[in-house]
Amino acid sequence: MTVIGVIGCTALLVSAFGMYDGMSDLKEWEFNQINHYDSKLVIDEEASISQVNEVADEVNGDKIMESAIEIETDSAKKSGSLLVLNHTDLVTPTDYDWNRIKIADDEVSISQKMADMLGVGIGDTVKWHIMGSDKWIETKIDGIHADPTSQGLIMSSDKLEDLDLNYTPTSIVTAEHIDKNYSAIKTANSMKDMTSSWDELTEAMWLLIYILIFFASLLAVVVLYNLGLLSFTEIEREIATLKVLGFRTGALRKLLLTQNLWFTTVGFILGIPVGYYILKVMWESSGDSFYILPSISLMNLILTALITFSLSILVNLMFSRKIKNLDMVESLKGVE
């Protein structure tokens, strides 16, 4: 029971710290590894091509197209996004290891999570259409990229036009900080504003992480203390016998502590994969848009071990004080 209690404590701590690492990795991946612009200008739907080109030239920006799409295979149909890049270095697709990948002008890449949901891979064919349009396109998958927040297809403007679709820019991205108003621009978002919005959005997640850590610690204290008392009661007669034989209280407390630490070690080792599995299930249930790989940093794994073993030692010291006040006469009486 002690081992099971430690497994539960470790699993909750691994889940909590894994969520912390996952949210931190997602922010770093999305806002630093993929997107390198400082400002994103959302183009007004009524703006003309000449107006858009004029703004892009003035801010030294690159035009991109983003649109909602629906992708279908023989076995599934999912909603996703289409990203059309026009030879820009301000948005760089990556693989799941955050390594930058190159998507050729004549290639179409699908996100890893979308590929998993649809059950497709490189060389397979998918059908898709832009939301609001009845025109379905059949496309061969040439590559797979990974994105933490956007699942769908990425291609070049040349490839889009080869598929007989119009390239209509929806945003302008630039490395400059833009705070000027343009008639062709609906809104201007800076990277600082987007990261601030993300931090506000994830405040509830941080609260959940703190709650998990609290209840993991509470579980360890309550379970280990009660199991320690139960174990002490069961071996009370043996402890009294050892005291009569000359064993000092400190030696007996050390004996109980050693036993408890062995149980804690076994529970901690078994609890890590359990916590990792729980973390994986939690990320997989976060929705179709998010793609987060379960992981926990070495530092947080060490912190998990410190919390688990510290609580185990503290609880052991709490109930092992009873050895000093043990009534040896009562303990050594036969069962009547």
Side-chain angles (χ1 to χ4, degrees), residues 89-105:
D89 290 328
L90 298 176
V91 180
T92 57
T94 65
D95 59 16
Y96 55 81
D97 288 324
W98 300 9
N99 298 316
R100 180 178 177 178
I101 61 175
K102 179 70 174 177
I103 301 175
D105 290 345

Side-chain angles (χ1 to χ4, degrees), residues 33-233:
Q33 303 300 323
I34 295 178
N35 298 305
H36 310 285
Y37 54 82
D38 187 271
S39 297
K40 182 177 183 180
L41 312 180
V42 180
I43 299 172
D44 192 288
E45 296 176 357
E46 304 297 327
S48 64
I49 296 297
S50 60
Q51 288 178 309
V52 173
N53 290 336
E54 184 179 342
V55 174
D57 291 338
E58 184 174 338
V59 300
N60 295 318
D62 295 324
K63 295 169 289 186
I64 63 173
M65 175 181 171
E66 295 172 297
S67 182
I69 60 174
E70 190 175 40
I71 311 176
E72 183 180 28
T73 61
D74 294 335
S75 59
K77 180 188 287 187
K78 293 290 182 180
S79 297
S81 62
L82 170 67
L83 174 60
V84 183
L85 300 175
N86 192 16
H87 304 98
T88 179
D89 290 328
L90 298 176
V91 180
T92 57
T94 65
D95 59 16
Y96 55 81
D97 288 324
W98 300 9
N99 298 316
R100 180 178 177 178
I101 61 175
K102 179 70 174 177
I103 301 175
D105 290 345
D106 59 345
E107 291 182 340
V108 174
S109 178
I110 190 171
S111 63
Q112 182 66 62
K113 184 163 187 176
M114 181 61 73
D116 293 340
M117 292 189 295
L118 295 176
V120 297
I122 296 176
D124 294 331
T125 300
V126 296
K127 291 175 60 179
W128 60 278
H129 74 105
I130 297 176
M131 292 294 190
S133 172
D134 295 329
K135 183 177 181 179
W136 285 82
I137 307 297
E138 198 166 292
T139 306
K140 178 185 175 183
I141 301 301
D142 301 299
I144 296 179
H145 65 276
D147 193 294
T149 61
S150 179
Q151 311 309 322
L153 303 176
I154 296 180
M155 65 185 71
S156 68
S157 57
D158 293 338
K159 181 63 176 180
L160 185 70
E161 292 177 349
D162 288 343
L163 296 173
D164 199 24
L165 293 173
N166 292 326
Y167 172 61
T168 307
T170 57
S171 302
I172 299 172
V173 292
T174 174
E176 300 178 6
H177 181 73
I178 306 300
D179 52 12
K180 181 180 177 181
N181 294 325
Y182 296 94
S183 58
I185 301 303
K186 188 191 306 182
T187 57
N189 301 315
S190 68
M191 183 60 70
K192 182 179 180 180
D193 292 336
M194 285 186 280
T195 53
S196 297
S197 298
W198 173 258
D199 291 338
E200 293 177 3
L201 183 66
T202 55
E203 282 183 0
M205 183 66 74
W206 298 129
L207 179 61
L208 178 60
I209 292 171
Y210 299 144
I211 290 175
L212 277 175
I213 295 175
F214 171 76
F215 278 105
S217 303
L218 184 64
L219 173 69
V221 171
V222 173
V223 172
L224 293 180
Y225 184 74
N226 283 281
L227 290 176
L229 286 179
L230 181 61
S231 175
F232 179 82
T233 302

Side-chain angles (χ1 to χ4, degrees), residues 233-273:
T233 302
E234 291 178 347
I235 62 174
E236 188 174 352
R237 186 172 182 177
E238 286 79 2
I239 293 176
T241 302
L242 292 175
K243 290 193 71 174
V244 170
L245 292 175
F247 283 84
R248 295 182 178 275
T249 300
L252 294 175
R253 293 180 70 173
K254 184 178 179 181
L255 179 66
L256 290 179
L257 177 61
T258 303
Q259 171 188 271
N260 200 49
L261 285 178
W262 274 111
F263 288 147
T264 302
T265 301
V266 173
F268 177 77
I269 294 173
L270 296 177
I272 292 176

